[in-house]
C-alpha cells in the first residue's frame, strides 16, 4: 500500500543472498517495511572453486530450488561453508531472489550494500522512464560479502533505518542523519543521492 | 431511458448509493451518445461504479485512517483506470474530494495524487484540480506532517505541467482554459518561491518542478540523422515530459506567447545554474540541481547553449564544491558529476566539448580507457579530427558553430519569425561571454604563471591552510603526474581562471559584470511581463566577495616574463630570497589576519563551527599580554557592529578574561610563571584588563545608543564578575529616561543573582537614591520593596539600610551622599530625605528597623529630626500599632527619641483608637520620663476616667497647652469602647469635670473660662447633654466660678436652649446665687450684658433698686437704654411685680405717650387714605356704565341701518 505511515525501505546487494537477506531478516524482525533485492545479472554463489561459481536466474529460481540444488551437489561442503544454512534462512523469508531492476514498486529509501550495486541502482533509476516523480533516496553502505560482516552490517543498516524511520520529515533530515553516521563510522564508505521515479 | 435505468435498480438501498443513482441517471442520459456503442463497457462501468461506491462507503465508515486510506486507494484505482469511461470519474469526483476535508496528511496526499491522475485521464478536470492543489500548497501547521502534502502537490504539479500545457494548446478557444492557464501560472509562481524554503525536501521537489517547466517551455530539437549503428539518442522519450514541448505551441496561440514562454524557461535555466554556486546548498539539493541541469542538457543540448553551459557549470562546480559538504557527500556529488558527464559523451551534440568533458572526467578520477569506451563509435572520428587539430575551436568560433547549429535545429516553419531566430543567437553570444572571460583570464594567468609567482602563491596558501583537510580536497586530490609541463600549466591556469571569474576578479571580470547586469535587467523585464522565475542566489557570491580583504590589484603582479620561466634553473634559496619583516609589517600582518578571521564568521556559522570560531577569536584577542588593545578595540567594534548575533562571543571573551584573572585559563600558563617570578601581568593587572574590556564594550554600546539592547544587560547579568566601573555604566542607564526601567530591572536581577557581589551591588543601589532624580528614587524604592519581599535578601538589605542610617550622624555627609552638582558640603534636608528614602521604603517589610531609627534620631541634628518626623508617616501607617516592634519601640524608647515616639503614636491613632497595649506603654513612658503631657493626647481615649480627671487640669490651666484642649476633648468625646463601641465617657460628666477644675489664680481662671468654648463644641455635645451638665452644675454649691461664662457660651451655641436658660436664670437671680462672691457677681453682670433679653426679665423683676443701681453702674448707661426698650415688652403682671423705683427708671413715659400719639396719627392717616380710595372707585364705576350705554346705542343704530 502506498499511503502508509511507515517508510518503504529496500535493501540491495549483488545476489540477494547474503548481505541483503541478512538485513532483510533483521529489519523484518524489527518491524520495518522492507524488501530485498540483488542488482547483478545473475544470482552468483561460491562454487567448488573460485572460477566455477553457482549461477541462477533472478525471479524464476526459488530459494527452495537453490537449497536442493546445493544439497544435491555437495551437501558436506555447502554445510561447511554455511551456504546451505543461509539459503535455508532465505527460503523462510521469501520465495525467490529478486532483481532490483525488474521491480516496479516505489520505495522511499533504497540501501545498497556495495558501491558497485549503488552504481547499478542509480544508473537504473536515472535511465528508466520517469513516471511519478516521487523522490527516492539511494544510500550506499559498504559491507563485505561474508556472513560475519553481513550480520554486523545488517545491524548497522538497522540502526540507520530506525533513525530514518523515527524522523519527522525524512527528506529534510536525511543529510544530517547520514552525516552523523559518517562521523561515527569514518571507515565505512557511504554515499547518498536522490533519484526520482 | 428505461434500458439505462434498469441496471441501476441493482444498486443498494443505502443513502449514498441512492443519491448516486439519481445523479448517475441524469449523467448517463446526457452521455448516452458516447457510450451506447459499447454495451460491455457499460456493463463493466456499472459494476465499477458499484465497486467505487462500496469502496467509498468503506472509506466513510472506516474507523481508522488506515482503513480509509486503503478504501480510497481502491476507489482511486478504479476511477483513474484508463479503460474506464470518464463519466465514472466525473460522477465520483466530488465525493472523492470530500475526503480531503479529513485533516490527515496521508489522506490529503492520496487526494493530491488522485487529482493528478484524474487530470491525466481527463484534463477537463484541471480547473477544479488546480483550485484544490493551490489550496493544499499552503502549509497547514495544524495537520501533522503536512509538509508531505506540500511536497506531493509540487510533485503533482511537476507531472501536470505537460498535461496542462497540452490541453491548453489543444483547447485554446475555451475561455475556461485561459482562466485555468492563468491559475496555473499563479500556482507556478507560488511553487517557485518555495525554492527558498527551509525544508530540504521541498526545495528538492521544487527544483524538479523547474526541470519540468524548462523542458515544457523550450523547443524540442529535431531528431538528427541517426547513425545506423548508434543506439537511440532521444533521451526525451525516456522522460515523462516527452509528450509536449514548446514546438507544439502554435506561434499564433491565443494567450500563450511563444517568446515569453521561452524567456521564462531561459531565465529559470539560468537560475538553476546559479543554484549550483550557492555556498551553503545542501548535498541533496546540489545533487538534484545537477541532475536537473543534466536532464535539460541532454534533452535540449543546443537550446540556449544548454549543454555547453551545463558542462561549464560542472567545471566550476567541481573545483568549488560547497565547504559544508561532508566526505561522503563530496564523493556522491563527484560520482553524480562523473556519471552525467559520461552520459554526455554519448550525445552527438557533445562532440565539440568532448575534450573538455574528458579533462573534467580525468579530474573526477576516470581513466582514459573508460572515457574512450564511453564515446560511441560513430562519434569517435570527429573527436580524433578535433584532437588532430589545435586545442579545439576557439571560443568565438565555437560560439559561431553553435549559433549556426541552433538556428539550423530550430528551423522555423515560417520565414517571417525573424526575431525569434536571431534571439537565441544573441543570447548565445552573450552567454559565451562567461566563457570568453574565463579564456581571457586563463591566458592572463598562464602568461604569469612563473616560478616566482607560484612560490608566492604556495607561501600565501600555506598561511591559510586549514587545520583539517577538507573533504573536498581529500576526495579529489590525485598526485599530479605531469607537473610543470605546459599542458599542466594550461590546465592549472584554466582552473585558476575559472575560480577568478567565479569570484568576479581578473581581466574577464568586467565582461562578466556587464553580462550579469544584462541578465539582471532581462530577468526583471521578464518578471514585469508576468513570468514566474525562481529566485536566483546571485547576490550570494557578491556579498561574500564584498567582505573579502582588498584584493591585490592585478597591476601589482609582475608582467608576463618574456622568456619562458621553466628555463631558469637557478635553485631557490629561501633564506636568501626572504627578508625579515619589520615590526610594523608584522603588526600589520597580524591585524590583517585577525580581521580576516573576524570576517570569516558567516561561513563559519554556515559550517556549524560557531563555537570553535568564537573560541579562536577570543584566544587570539586574549593571548597577548601587551599590545592587545588594538585587537581588543577591533573585537569590541566587531561585536557591537552586530551585537545581536555576537552576544555569545562577548560573553565568552569576558569569561576567558575572568578565567585568566583567576588563573585557571590554560592561556595563562605562561602568565602564571611570570607571576611567580613577580613579572608580567599581576592579578590586579589582569582584573584591570577584564574591567577595561567590559567597560569598553559597555561604553561602545552606550555610545551607539544600544544600551537598551540585550547584550548590554546580558553582559552585566551573565559575565562572571561585574566590576565597579561597569556599574557606573549601569548607573548611566538607570538615569536614562527611556532605559531607566531596564537598568533598574537589571540591577535587581544582579542583586538577586550575584551573591558574592551583593554588598557592592547594594552599595551601588543605595547610592542611586541620592541622585537628583525623583523618578529614579521612586523606582529604587519600588525595587527595594520587591527585594524585601524575598526573605533571603531582606537581611542584607536591612543591614545596609541601617549602616547608611548610621552615617546620617556623621558631621559632614559622606561623599556618595552628596549630589555631585551641588558644591555644598553640609547636611541639608534634601540629603537627609534621600538618605531616609530607602530606609523608610523597606521599613514596613521589616519593622525591626524602627528601633535603630529611633536610636539615630535620638542623636540626630534638629534638621534630621525634622525630616524624620515629616517623612515617617507612610511607613508608620503601613506598619500599624499592633506590630510587636512598634510596641517595643514605645516601650524601649531610646532617650531622646520621645518626640519621635510621640509623633509615631500620634500618626498611629489618627484614624483608629489606640489599642490598650499601646495605651499602657505610652502612659508608662510618660510616667517614667515625665514627657510632655501632650504625648498622651493620642491615647487619652484609652485612659480611665480618674486618670483623665487628674490629667485635665494640666491641659486646661496651662496657657501653652491651650491649643490642645479642643483636641483633648474631641478625643475624649470620640473615645469608644473597643469591644462594645459605646462612648467611654459621658459628655455631661466631662463638662462637669471641666468645671470642677479649681484654678489657683486669676490667670488660670481666665484660661478655664476661655476654653469652655472649646469644650462645648456643638459638633460633639448635644443640647441635651449640655442642658444636663448645666443642671448638674447649677445644683452644685458654690457654683463654679466660670458658670456664667458657660451659660453665655451655651446661649451662643445652642439657641434651642433659650427658654431653659431663661428659667434657670430666673431661678439663679431669684435665689440671689450670683452674689456669693465678688468675682461671680462681676461675671454675672458681664453675662447680663451678653444674655440680654434672656436675663433682663429676671433682673427687672427680682432685683432691688440697689442691686439694679449696682448693675447699671458697673455696665454703664447703655444697659439702661436697653432695659428701657425691654420694659414695654414685659407683661403687665411682670411690670407690676417690679420694684417701683426701678420701674420709674426704666419706664420712659414721654416716650410712651409720644409713641401713642404717633400711632394715633398713623391710624388716622390710614383711614383717610382708605376713604379716598373708595370714592375714586365709585367714580370709575359710573364712567364705565356710561360707556357701556353708548356702545349699546351704537350697536342698536347700526342694526337698524342694516335692516
Amino acid at each position: 500500500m502506498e499511503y502508509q505511515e511507515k517508510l518503504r525501505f529496500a535493501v540491495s546487494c549483488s545476489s540477494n543472498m547474503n548481505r541483503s537477506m541478512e538485513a532483510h531478516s533483521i529489519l523484518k524482525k524489527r518491524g520495518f517495511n522492507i524488501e530485498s533485492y540483488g542488482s547483478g545479472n545473475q544470482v552468483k554463489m561460491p562454487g567448488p572453486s573460485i572460477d566455477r561459481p553457482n549461477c541462477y536466474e533472478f525471479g524464476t529460481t526459488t530459494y527452495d530450488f537453490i537449497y536442493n540444488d546445493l544439497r544435491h551437489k555437495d551437501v558436506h561442503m555447502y554445510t561447511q561453508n554455511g551456504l546451505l544454512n543461509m539459503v535455508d534462512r532465505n527460503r523462510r523469508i521469501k520465495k525467490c531472489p529478486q532483481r532490483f531492476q525488474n521491480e516496479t514498486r516505489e520505495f522511499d529509501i533504497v540501501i545498497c550494500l556495495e558501491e558497485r550495486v549503488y552504481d547499478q541502482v542509480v544508473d537504473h533509476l536515472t535511465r528508466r522512464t520517469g513516471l511519478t516523480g516521487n523522490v527516492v533516496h539511494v544510500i550506499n553502505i559498504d559491507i563485505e560479502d561474508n556472513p560475519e560482516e553481513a550480520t554486523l552490517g545488517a545491524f548497522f543498516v538497522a540502526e540507520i533505518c530506525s533513525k530514518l524511520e523515527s524522523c519527522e520529515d525524512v527528506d529534510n533530515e536525511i543529510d544530517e542523519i547520514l552525516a552523523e553516521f559518517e562521523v561515527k563510522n569514518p571507515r565505512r564508505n557511504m554515499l547518498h543521492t536522490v533519484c526520482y521515479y | 431511458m428505461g434500458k439505462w435505468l434498469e441496471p441501476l435498480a441493482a444498486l443498494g438501498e443505502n443513502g449514498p448509493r441512492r443519491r448516486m443513482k439519481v445523479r448517475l441517471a441524469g449523467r448517463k442520459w446526457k452521455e448516452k451518445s458516447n457510450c451506447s456503442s459499447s454495451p460491455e463497457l457499460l456493463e463493466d462501468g456499472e459494476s465499477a461504479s458499484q465497486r467505487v461506491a462500496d469502496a467509498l462507503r468503506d472509506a466513510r465508515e472506516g474507523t481508522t485512517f488506515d482503513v480509509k486510506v486503503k478504501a480510497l486507494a481502491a476507489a482511486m484505482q478504479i476511477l483513474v483506470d484508463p479503460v474506464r469511461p470518464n463519466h465514472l470519474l466525473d460522477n465520483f469526483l466530488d465525493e472523492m474530494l470530500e475526503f480531503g476535508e479529513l485533516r490527515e496528511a496521508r489522506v490529503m496526499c492520496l487526494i493530491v495524487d488522485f487529482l493528478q491522475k484524474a487530470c491525466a485521464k481527463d484534463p477537463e478536470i484541471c480547473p477544479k484540480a488546480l483550485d484544490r492543489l493551490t489550496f493544499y500548497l499552503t502549509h497547514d501547521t495544524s495537520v501533522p506532517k503536512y509538509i508531505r502534502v506540500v511536497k506531493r502537490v509540487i510533485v503533482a504539479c511537476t507531472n501536470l505541467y505537460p498535461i496542462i500545457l497540452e490541453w491548453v494548446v489543444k483547447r485554446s478557444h475555451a475561455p475556461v482554459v485561459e482562466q485555468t492557464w492563468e491559475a496555473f501560472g499563479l500556482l507556478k509562481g507560488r511553487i517557485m518561491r518555495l525554492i527558498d524554503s527551509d525544508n530540504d525536501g521541498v526545495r528538492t521537489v521544487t527544483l524538479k518542478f523547474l526541470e519540468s517547466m524548462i523542458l515544457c517551455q523550450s523547443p524540442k530539437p529535431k531528431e538528427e540523422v541517426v547513425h545506423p549503428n548508434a543506439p537511440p539518442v532521444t533521451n526525451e522519450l525516456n522522460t515523462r515530459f516527452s509528450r509536449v514541448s514548446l514546438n507544439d505551441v502554435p506561434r499564433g496561440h491565443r494567450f500563450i506567447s511563444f517568446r515569453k514562454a521561452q524567456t521564462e524557461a531561459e531565465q529559470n535555466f539560468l537560475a538553476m545554474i546559479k543554484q549550483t554556486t550557492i555556498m551553503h546548498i545542501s548535498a541533496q539539493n546540489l545533487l538534484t540541481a545537477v541532475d536537473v541541469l543534466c536532464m535539460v542538457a541532454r534533452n535540449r543540448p543546443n537550446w540556449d547553449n544548454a549543454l555547453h553551459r551545463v558542462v561549464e557549470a560542472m567545471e566550476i562546480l567541481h573545483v568549488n564544491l560547497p565547504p559544508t559538504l561532508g566526505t561522503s557527500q563530496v564523493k556522491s556529488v563527484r560520482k553524480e558529476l562523473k556519471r552525467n558527464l559520461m552520459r554526455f559523451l554519448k550525445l552527438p551534440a557533445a562532440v565539440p566539448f568532448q575534450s573538455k568533458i574528458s579533462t573534467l572526467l580525468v579530474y573526477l578520477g576516470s581513466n582514459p580507457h573508460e572515457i574512450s569506451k564511453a564515446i560511441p563509435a560513430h562519434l569517435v572520428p570527429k573527436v580524433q579530427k578535433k584532437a588532430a587539430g589545435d586545442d579545439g575551436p576557439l571560443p568565438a568560433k565555437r560560439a559561431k558553430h553553435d549559433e549556426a547549429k541552433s538556428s539550423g535545429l530550430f528551423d522555423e516553419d515560417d520565414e517571417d519569425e525573424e526575431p525569434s531566430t536571431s534571439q537565441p543567437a544573441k543570447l548565445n553570444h552573450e552567454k559565451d561571454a562567461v566563457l570568453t572571460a574565463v579564456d581571457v583570464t586563463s591566458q592572463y594567468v598562464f602568461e604569469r604563471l612563473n616560478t616566482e609567482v607560484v612560490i608566492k602563491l604556495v607561501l600565501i596558501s600555506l598561511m591559510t591552510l586549514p587545520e583539517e583537510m577538507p573533504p573536498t580536497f581529500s576526495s579529489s586530490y590525485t598526485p599530479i603526474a605531469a607537473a610543470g609541463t605546459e599542458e599542466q600549466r594550461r590546465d592549472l591556469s584554466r582552473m585558476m581562471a575559472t575560480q577568478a571569474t567565479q569570484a568576479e576578479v581578473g581581466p574577464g571580470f568586467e565582461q562578466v559584470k556587464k553580462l550579469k547586469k544584462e541578465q539582471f535587467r532581462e530577468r526583471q523585464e521578464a518578471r514585469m511581463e508576468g513570468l514566474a522565475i525562481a529566485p536566483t542566489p546571485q547576490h550570494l557570491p557578491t556579498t561574500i566577495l564584498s567582505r573579502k580583504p582588498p584584493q591585490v590589484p592585478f597591476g601589482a603582479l609582475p608582467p608576463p616574463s618574456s622568456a619562458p620561466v621553466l628555463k631558469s634553473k637557478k635553485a631557490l634559496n629561501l633564506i636568501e630570497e626572504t627578508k625579515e619583516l619589520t615590526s610594523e609589517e608584522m603588526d600589520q600582518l597580524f591585524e590583517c589576519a585577525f580581521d580576516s578571521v573576524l570576517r570569516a564568521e558567516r561561513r563559519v556559522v554556515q559550517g556549524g563551527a560557531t563555537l570553535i570560531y568564537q573560541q579562536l577569536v577570543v584566544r587570539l584577542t586574549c593571548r597577548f599580554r601587551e599590545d592587545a588593545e588594538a585587537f581588543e578595540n577591533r573585537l569590541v567594534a566587531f561585536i557591537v557592529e552586530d551585537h545581536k548575533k555576537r552576544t555569545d562571543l562577548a560573553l565568552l571573551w569576558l569569561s576567558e578574561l575572568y578565567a585568566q584573572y583567576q588563573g585557571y585559563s590554560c592561556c595563562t600558563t605562561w602568565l602564571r610563571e611570570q607571576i611567580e617570578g613577580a613579572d608580567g601581568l599581576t592579578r590586579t593587572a589582569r582584573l584591570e584588563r577584564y574591567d577595561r574590556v567590559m567597560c569598553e564594550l559597555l561604553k561602545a554600546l552606550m555610545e551607539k545608543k544600544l544600551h537598551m539592547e540585550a547584550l548590554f544587560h546580558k553582559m552585566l547579568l551573565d559575565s562572571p564578575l561585574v566590576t565597579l566601573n561597569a556599574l557606573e555604566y549601569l548607573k548611566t542607564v538607570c538615569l536614562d529616561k527611556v532605559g531607566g526601567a531596564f537598568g533598574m530591572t537589571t540591577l535587581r536581577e544582579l542583586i538577586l543573582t550575584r551573591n558574592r557581589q551583593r554588598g557592592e551591588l547594594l552599595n551601588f543601589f543605595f547610592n542611586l537614591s541620592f541622585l537628583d532624580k525623583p523618578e529614579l528614587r521612586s523606582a529604587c524604592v519600588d525595587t527595594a520593596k520587591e527585594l524585601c519581599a524575598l526573605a533571603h535578601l531582606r537581611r542584607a538589605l536591612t543591614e545596609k539600610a541601617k549602616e547608611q542610617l548610621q552615617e546620617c550622624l556623621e558631621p559632614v555627609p559622606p561623599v556618595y551622599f552628596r549630589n555631585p552638582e551641588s558644591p555644598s558640603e553640609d547636611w541639608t534636608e534634601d540629603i537627609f530625605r534621600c538618605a531616609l528614602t530607602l530606609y523608610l521604603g523597606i521599613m514596613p517589610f521589616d519593622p525591626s528597623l524602627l528601633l535603630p531609627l529611633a536610636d539615630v534620631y535620638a542623636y540626630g541634628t534638629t534638621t534630621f529630626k525634622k525630616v524624620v518626623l515629616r517623612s515617617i508617616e507612610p511607613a508608620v501607617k503601613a506598619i500599624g500599632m499592633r506590630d510587636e516592634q512598634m510596641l517595643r519601640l514605645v516601650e524601649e524608647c531610646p532617650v531622646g527619641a520621645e518626640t519621635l515616639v510621640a509623633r509615631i503614636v500620634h500618626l498611629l491613632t489618627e484614624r483608629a483608637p489606640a489599642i490598650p497595649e499601646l495605651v499602657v506603654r505610652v502612659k508608662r513612658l510618660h510616667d517614667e520620663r515625665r514627657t510632655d503631657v501632650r504625648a498622651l493626647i493620642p491615647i487619652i481615649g484609652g485612659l480611665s476616667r480618674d486618670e483623665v480627671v487628674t490629667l485635665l487640669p494640666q491641659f486646661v490651666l496651662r496657657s501653652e497647652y491651650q491649643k490642645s484642649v479642643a483636641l483633648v476633648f474631641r478625643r475624649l468625646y470620640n473615645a469608644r469602647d473597643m469591644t462594645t463601641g459605646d462612648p467611654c465617657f459621658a459628655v455631661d460628666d466631662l463638662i462637669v469635670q471641666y468645671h470642677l477644675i479649681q484654678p489657683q489664680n486669676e490667670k488660670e481662671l481666665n484660661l478655664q473660662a476661655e476654653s469652655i468654648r472649646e469644650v462645648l463644641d456643638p459638633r460633639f455635645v448635644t443640647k441635651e447633654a449640655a442642658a444636663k451638665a448645666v443642671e448638674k452644675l447649677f445644683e452644685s454649691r458654690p457654683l463654679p466660678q466660670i458658670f456664667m461664662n458657660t451659660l453665655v457660651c451655651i446661649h451662643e451655641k445652642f439657641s434651642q436652649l433659650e427658654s431653659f436658660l431663661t428659667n434657670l436664670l430666673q431661678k439663679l437671680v431669684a435665689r440671689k446665687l450670683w452674689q456669693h462672691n465678688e468675682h461671680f457677681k462681676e461675671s454675672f453682670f458681664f453675662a447680663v450684658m451678653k444674655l440680654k433679653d434672656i436675663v433682663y426679665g429676671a433682673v427687672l423683676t427680682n432685683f432691688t433698686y440697689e442691686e439694679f443701681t449696682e448693675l447699671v453702674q458697673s455696665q454703664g448707661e447703655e444697659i439702661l437704654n436697653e432695659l428701657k426698650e425691654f420694659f414695654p415688652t414685659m407683661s403687665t403682671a411682670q411690670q407690676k411685680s417690679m420694684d417701683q423705683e426701678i420701674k420709674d427708671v426704666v419706664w420712659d413715659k414721654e416716650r410712651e405717650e409720644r409713641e401713642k400719639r404717633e400711632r394715633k396719627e398713623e391710624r388716622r392717616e390710614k383711614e383717610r387714605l382708605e376713604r379716598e380710595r373708595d370714592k375714586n372707585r365709585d367714580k370709575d364705576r359710573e364712567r364705565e356704565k356710561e360707556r357701556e350705554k353708548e356702545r349699546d346705542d351704537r350697536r342698536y343704530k347700526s342694526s337698524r341701518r342694516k335692516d
Side-chain angles (χ1 to χ4, degrees), chain B residues 91-256:
Chain B
N91 284 335
F92 287 99
L93 181 65
D94 286 338
E95 263 172 279
M96 277 299 276
L97 293 185
E98 270 170 28
F99 286 94
E101 307 293 321
L102 292 175
R103 305 180 65 72
E104 223 289 328
R106 275 185 293 159
V107 179
M108 288 175 171
C109 283
L110 189 140
I111 296 294
V112 170
D113 268 9
F114 168 70
L115 285 171
Q116 178 208 318
K117 287 175 181 164
C119 286
K121 185 172 153 66
D122 180 7
E124 297 298 322
I125 294 171
C126 284
K128 198 172 222 173
L130 287 182
D131 259 10
R132 282 287 171 142
L133 292 176
T134 313
F135 172 73
Y136 285 134
L137 189 63
T138 315
H139 195 134
D140 182 351
T141 42
S142 64
V143 178
K145 299 196 174 175
Y146 192 83
I147 200 79
R148 279 186 186 189
V149 183
V150 174
K151 281 188 279 189
R152 276 290 169 136
V153 171
I154 302 174
V155 171
C157 290
T158 312
N159 293 326
L160 280 180
Y161 210 115
I163 295 167
I164 291 183
L165 184 64
E166 197 182 9
W167 179 63
V168 167
V169 169
K170 257 188 219 158
R171 298 213 30 207
S172 62
H173 295 292
V176 66
V177 174
E178 186 173 359
Q179 282 165 17
T180 311
W181 185 245
E182 270 172 25
F184 189 63
L186 290 178
L187 184 58
K188 190 160 76 178
R190 284 184 57 192
I191 293 176
M192 285 193 186
R193 278 199 289 280
L194 289 175
I195 208 159
D196 283 338
S197 160
D198 294 336
N199 186 295
D200 237 8
V202 173
R203 288 200 301 267
T204 307
V205 286
T206 310
L207 289 172
K208 238 8 210 178
F209 176 80
L210 280 181
E211 171 190 287
S212 172
M213 193 233 142
I214 295 168
L215 287 179
C216 285
Q217 292 190 186
S218 54
K220 202 190 282 189
K222 279 200 166 178
E223 296 298 327
E224 283 187 23
V225 186
V226 184
H227 195 272
N229 302 336
V233 285
T234 46
N235 289 281
E236 183 84 14
L237 286 176
N238 284 345
T239 72
R240 56 210 144 102
F241 311 112
S242 59
R243 50 198 298 170
V244 68
S245 76
L246 198 59
N247 292 0
D248 301 311
V249 180
R251 290 298 173 113
H253 193 278
R254 197 163 65 84
F255 50 83
I256 302 179

Side-chain angles (χ1 to χ4, degrees), chain B residues 578-639:
Chain B
T578 51
K579 59 175 187 204
E580 207 174 316
L581 293 169
T582 64
S583 75
E584 286 89 53
E585 277 172 333
M586 272 199 278
D587 283 350
Q588 215 176 341
L589 277 179
F590 274 133
E591 280 167 24
C592 284
F594 187 71
D595 276 347
S596 67
V597 169
L598 287 185
R599 269 194 306 274
E601 188 195 28
R602 196 186 157 99
R603 285 187 63 166
V604 165
V605 173
Q606 281 163 0
T610 318
L611 186 63
I612 301 171
Y613 165 79
Q614 289 176 344
Q615 284 170 344
L616 173 74
V617 171
V618 166
R619 296 231 171 109
L620 281 179
T621 321
C622 296
R623 178 152 294 184
F624 301 106
R625 177 169 59 94
E626 45 212 350
D627 306 333
E629 258 176 80
F631 293 119
E632 281 171 6
N633 295 339
R634 269 159 211 266
L635 190 53
V636 167
F638 179 72
I639 288 170

Side-chain angles (χ1 to χ4, degrees), chain B residues 681-738:
Chain B
L681 280 177
T682 57
R683 215 172 129 84
T684 349
R686 279 177 283 154
L687 181 60
E688 263 171 32
R689 184 174 171 181
Y690 173 82
D691 181 40
R692 186 182 66 234
V693 167
M694 190 166 194
C695 291
E696 282 297 323
L697 276 169
L698 293 174
K699 190 170 134 197
L701 286 170
M702 288 283 302
E703 278 168 2
K704 294 211 164 181
K705 305 258 175 253
L706 295 173
H707 54 276
M708 308 260 281
E709 295 294 337
L711 175 59
F712 189 91
H713 299 273
K714 254 197 152 153
M715 264 199 309
L716 293 169
L717 289 169
D718 294 353
S719 61
L721 179 78
V722 178
T723 58
L724 286 177
N725 293 332
L727 283 179
E728 283 305 307
Y729 288 97
L730 182 58
K731 188 196 272 181
T732 327
V733 174
C734 287
L735 285 173
D736 188 72
K737 253 186 195 154
V738 195

